[in-house]
Amino acid sequence: MTANATPPDLVIFDCDGVLVDSEPIAIRVTAAAITRLGYPISTRELRAATLGVTVADEMAMIEKWIGGPLPADWEGKVREEIHAAFRQSLQPVPGAQEVVALVQSRNISFCIASSGSLDKMELTLGLTGLRRYFGERIFSSSMVARGKPHPDLFLYAAAQMRIAPYRTVVIEDSVPGVIGARDAGMQVFAYAGDPDSNATGLAAQGGHLFHAMSDLPHLLGLD
């Protein structure tokens, strides 16, 4: 892939799957919980259906699968299971911390824009040692009317950072995220380092594929 001739003014990072390797853990726990409801589903099927969507959209999808409403306490219990699993084994995405530190050292603005909740990001970023880099620059889909694949969250993040969308690069790993960033008028680098990544879908929606975080400094024009 051709690298940027000059670095962007703003780098927006997705969180799950880009900074923290949380998706395999969350999907494994959630798939098991859905299967216990009587709807057997594999981790690969669940990832393909829900990666990058909001929690509300995911819950609506699950209710459609099981043919009725979820038990009142189901979402909370599954969330507690996921958080317990995070505390046991969550790690940063390999190379992510080095990229964030490099962007910071070059005085380039950066932030997070994620479908996840603020509470979840506080936990996962804290467990992986990444929280200290971001300060108040963490934006969740709960802050906007429409989450990914709509552009609202990315436009909101850029506005809060006071940087034009066309001078912004987004680092994403989900098709909804790529669509949202593209429709916000931003360049999108799509991380496809996970063996289960939908590389074809990411590229089809305009994401510029890369497979290792160590490739990002060159792609961002930082080397």
Side-chain angles (χ1 to χ4, degrees), residues 46-121:
L46 183 61
R47 177 188 172 96
T50 63
L51 186 64
V53 305
T54 65
V55 172
D57 287 343
E58 182 176 353
M59 293 304 106
M61 200 177 299
I62 295 169
E63 288 185 333
K64 183 177 179 180
W65 291 339
I66 67 174
L70 287 163
D73 59 349
W74 189 86
E75 180 187 348
K77 288 184 176 179
V78 173
R79 182 169 60 250
E80 289 175 4
E81 286 184 52
I82 292 170
H83 289 184
F86 285 163
R87 293 185 180 96
Q88 289 183 339
S89 59
L90 183 65
Q91 297 293 322
V93 169
Q97 182 167 335
E98 290 78 3
V99 171
V100 173
L102 178 61
V103 171
Q104 182 183 61
S105 73
R106 300 297 178 85
N107 294 317
I108 296 169
S109 295
F110 62 96
C111 65
I112 292 174
S114 172
S115 294
S117 69
L118 291 174
D119 286 348
K120 178 184 175 184
M121 286 188 275

Side-chain angles (χ1 to χ4, degrees), residues 5-197:
T6 58
D9 292 340
L10 172 64
V11 179
I12 298 179
F13 294 94
D14 179 41
C15 187
D16 297 299
V18 168
L19 296 176
V20 299
D21 198 17
S22 53
E23 287 168 350
I25 297 171
I27 289 171
R28 169 175 53 79
V29 172
T30 305
I34 296 170
T35 298
R36 291 197 297 270
L37 291 173
Y39 186 87
I41 189 168
S42 70
T43 56
R44 179 166 293 187
E45 290 168 333
L46 183 61
R47 177 188 172 96
T50 63
L51 186 64
V53 305
T54 65
V55 172
D57 287 343
E58 182 176 353
M59 293 304 106
M61 200 177 299
I62 295 169
E63 288 185 333
K64 183 177 179 180
W65 291 339
I66 67 174
L70 287 163
D73 59 349
W74 189 86
E75 180 187 348
K77 288 184 176 179
V78 173
R79 182 169 60 250
E80 289 175 4
E81 286 184 52
I82 292 170
H83 289 184
F86 285 163
R87 293 185 180 96
Q88 289 183 339
S89 59
L90 183 65
Q91 297 293 322
V93 169
Q97 182 167 335
E98 290 78 3
V99 171
V100 173
L102 178 61
V103 171
Q104 182 183 61
S105 73
R106 300 297 178 85
N107 294 317
I108 296 169
S109 295
F110 62 96
C111 65
I112 292 174
S114 172
S115 294
S117 69
L118 291 174
D119 286 348
K120 178 184 175 184
M121 286 188 275
E122 287 289 344
L123 175 64
T124 60
L125 294 169
L127 289 171
T128 54
L130 291 165
R131 180 66 184 86
R132 60 193 173 95
Y133 290 101
F134 291 95
E136 300 297 316
R137 305 183 309 277
I138 299 177
F139 307 108
S140 165
S141 60
S142 63
M143 298 174 171
V144 295
R146 303 178 301 173
K148 304 171 187 179
H150 300 286
D152 305 33
L153 178 57
F154 296 109
L155 293 172
Y156 177 79
Q160 295 302 303
M161 299 297 293
R162 299 184 180 181
I163 295 176
Y166 76 92
R167 288 298 304 151
T168 299
V169 166
V170 176
I171 315 301
E172 263 288 351
D173 73 321
S174 74
V175 171
V178 168
I179 294 170
R182 178 201 69 197
D183 289 352
M186 301 172 180
Q187 185 178 16
V188 194
F189 291 139
Y191 177 58
D194 189 298
D196 290 329
S197 294

